[in-house]
Every structure is written in C-alpha cells, then in structure tokens.
Amino acid sequence: MSLEATVYGVELMPLGKIVYYLDNGEKFTYGDYAIVLSEFGTDYGKVLLGPKNISIDDVNYELKAIIRKATEEDLEIIRENEEIAKKAREVTIELVKKHNLPMKILQSKYIFDRSKLVIYFSSKTRVDFRELVKDIAKEFKTRIELRQVGARDEMKFIKGLGLCGRKSCCSYFLREFDSVTLKHAKQQQMMINTSKITGPCGRLLCCLTFEHDFYVEALKNIPDEGSTIYYDGKIAKVITVNVFLSRVTLQTDDGEMVALPFSYFKEGENAGNWKIIDHARTNNHYNGLDDVPDIEDE
C-alpha cells in the first residue's frame, strides 16, 4: 500500500514545471503566493493546484513542506525582487553586447532570500561567460547563476505563434516537453516535410505527440504498407493503409485490387482469416527517410 500526502502544486517560474509541496496546515487558494524551498534556496511561487492527495510513489523527488503563506511583507519583497530581476535582465543584455558573446538573455529571477540571481539564456554554442558573471555580480552584489536552456524552453520565454496560427503550445499551456521524433510523424502518416512539421523553435512540433497514442491504437494489428499477407486463399501485397478511412488496400497475386476495413484485421466477429507472410516494411518504407536520425532535443 503506497503512502499518500496532501500537497499543493506551486509554479516557481511562469509556465514552468509545477512542483508539489506538502501542506503545512495553512489554507491556500488559487493564485496565492507561498514561500518554499527550491533548488536555489528559500524561494517563492504561485499556488496553482491543491490541496490534493497524491501517492508519494508517483513523485520522483523529495517532497518538502511549504514554509508559509506569503505575508504582506513577503509580497513587498517579491515585488522588489521582480523589479531587480527585470533590471538584471536589461543590464545583462548590455553586458553580453559588451563582451560580444553569442547568447540570448531570456529571463531572470531573484530568489526570495536574495542569495542568488538566476539568469536564463540560450545559445547555439558553448559560451565562456566567466567575465560576464563577474560583471553582473559587481553590479548586483549577489551570487549569479547563468542557466542555459534548450530551443523549446527558449520559445516558452519569448513566446510566439505556431504553424496553426494560434499561440505556440509551449507559450500557452505546455509546462514540460516530451521527446518528439520522426516516428511520431510517420505513425500519423504525415508527409515528412520539415517546414510542415517543425515549429518556430526549429524542433519538431510538440503537438505531434498529442494524438500519437490514438494512432498507435488505431493501427494495432494492421499490416504495414509493403508487407505481404495471406488473404482469402491468395497471396496479397498491402498497397496502402489509410488510417483516416480505416481501410487497407491489397493487390492479390492475380492482380485483383481489394479494399478491406480495419475491422477485418482486428480480433472480433468481423475479423477475417489472414496472416503476415513477410513484413517487408522494416527500415526503408519511407523512401529512405528511416535512415535519417530522429530529431529531438539533446
């Protein structure tokens, strides 16, 4: 029997990962600020979930208790810290230009106890920012941490529109990113056109994962295109598999074209008598595109 705990979900950065903290006995409502212990030290965040009971086994990190609900004095410190963080971002942008460094400053946060100023940046190369850190520390008289983020996280900070014309998912609701590969596009029978399946961040579209499980289930036990099967006493080759029409088109060895519903290949009363002879479609069924490495965040 797994142990349960009453927790609140706290957002430490806008649209960042929601971290669970143990209930400390105080009552919180949506949007309240809480003083908590984060990886950076004594910090603050906004309560977005809870109270709720969760299994401790479902959390892959040590649960810590909320220190306290933010007081009026705490809220004033938070407001001041956010002003300082805003200034720090502007100053760092100018210092980056001064040092001629290939990096883009995205966001900054001054943690609650003012023991550390965290500055997030992106760069396509490794950057020696030791002199930059010294200059920032001289300006703000605190410990400085520069944290590099990936292309998808960069898009979350700068925001923008997706190919669909709506706000990009990462700047609207996505808090964590799943690995997205070409397999997701292939499974959904999409044309492998980089410009059509790549987002503004330069990575494969996050939305390719949204319906992936549906396609996996829909195509379960369906023979692949190019495979050879035994059907109705004949040898037949699978010409097309249309997931949208739920239809498989075969060509028998005597030249007959046959269209069959997916139900023919599924278990049940409508299932037919067939079996795979040769899968054929292994690693070369998308005009050689399976030889292209999958694209995902490093």
Side-chain angles (χ1 to χ4, degrees):
M1 181 177 178
S2 63
L3 295 175
E4 287 196 343
T6 302
V7 299
Y8 285 94
V10 179
E11 176 190 69
L12 299 174
M13 286 287 290
L15 271 181
K17 179 181 178 181
I18 291 180
V19 182
Y20 288 124
Y21 284 91
L22 294 169
D23 177 15
N24 69 341
E26 296 182 271
K27 184 178 179 180
F28 290 86
T29 57
Y30 179 88
D32 285 344
Y33 278 94
I35 307 303
V36 296
L37 193 64
S38 74
E39 60 177 309
F40 302 120
T42 304
D43 208 346
Y44 66 92
K46 188 180 293 185
V47 174
L48 298 184
L49 295 175
K52 61 182 290 188
N53 292 327
I54 63 169
S55 170
I56 294 178
D57 294 338
D58 293 336
V59 182
N60 60 0
Y61 52 85
E62 180 185 356
L63 287 172
K64 300 172 183 176
I66 292 174
I67 296 174
R68 66 175 179 274
K69 187 175 183 177
T71 63
E72 285 300 323
E73 292 80 6
D74 293 335
L75 292 174
E76 183 58 32
I77 292 173
I78 290 171
R79 282 191 286 269
E80 291 175 0
N81 284 4
E82 290 182 347
E83 285 299 316
I84 294 171
K86 182 179 179 181
K87 180 182 177 183
R89 179 178 179 274
E90 295 170 353
V91 169
T92 304
I93 289 174
E94 292 304 314
L95 289 173
V96 165
K97 293 178 182 177
K98 172 186 171 183
H99 290 280
N100 196 28
L101 295 173
M103 56 196 295
K104 183 186 297 182
I105 304 302
L106 303 170
Q107 187 60 281
S108 58
K109 183 176 183 179
Y110 201 15
I111 72 168
F112 181 76
D113 63 7
R114 299 182 173 175
S115 63
K116 182 180 288 188
L117 181 59
V118 184
I119 299 172
Y120 297 86
F121 75 95
S122 65
S123 177
K124 295 182 179 180
T125 61
R126 296 190 64 176
V127 182
D128 182 355
F129 47 68
R130 287 172 293 183
E131 294 303 315
L132 173 65
V133 169
K134 291 177 183 178
D135 286 351
I136 302 172
K138 287 177 185 177
E139 180 75 25
F140 294 95
K141 304 298 190 293
T142 189
R143 292 173 59 202
I144 305 297
E145 178 174 334
L146 283 174
R147 177 163 292 197
Q148 186 170 1
V149 302
R152 287 191 169 100
D153 286 294
E154 176 184 349
M155 192 65 199
K156 182 190 290 285
F157 283 116
I158 63 177
K159 305 187 183 305
L161 299 178
L163 294 180
C164 58
R166 304 185 66 181
K167 293 179 182 177
S168 58
C169 298
C170 58
S171 61
Y172 182 54
F173 68 90
L174 274 185
R175 294 181 179 274
E176 298 183 73
F177 301 111
D178 294 323
S179 175
V180 187
T181 72
L182 283 175
K183 291 187 179 71
H184 289 84
K186 294 173 185 176
Q187 189 78 51
Q188 296 173 48
Q189 301 186 346
M190 300 181 70
M191 292 183 64
I192 309 302
N193 182 329
T194 305
S195 65
K196 299 293 186 181
I197 60 175
T198 302
C201 61
R203 301 291 185 177
L204 291 177
L205 293 168
C206 291
C207 56
L208 290 175
T209 65
F210 296 171
E211 298 177 353
H212 180 65
D213 291 343
F214 164 79
Y215 285 92
V216 170
E217 183 61 31
L219 293 169
K220 187 176 181 181
N221 296 329
I222 302 299
D224 295 326
E225 288 183 8
S227 59
T228 304
I229 69 171
Y230 178 82
Y231 157 73
D232 195 25
K234 302 176 182 179
I235 304 299
K237 185 174 182 179
V238 178
I239 304 302
T240 62
V241 176
N242 192 317
V243 70
F244 306 108
L245 298 178
S246 297
R247 186 171 64 196
V248 176
T249 303
L250 310 176
Q251 182 176 25
T252 63
D253 53 0
D254 58 7
E256 180 186 4
M257 300 294 290
V258 182
L260 298 171
F262 275 13
S263 58
Y264 182 88
F265 302 92
K266 303 278 190 177
E267 295 180 359
E269 60 182 30
N270 295 321
N273 182 22
W274 70 283
K275 66 178 180 178
I276 291 281
I277 297 176
D278 181 9
H279 286 280
R281 178 179 147 179
T282 53
N283 289 318
N284 59 356
H285 58 285
Y286 275 94
N287 297 325
L289 282 168
D290 272 4
D291 296 329
V292 179
D294 289 330
I295 304 170
E296 58 182 298
D297 276 328
E298 296 177 356

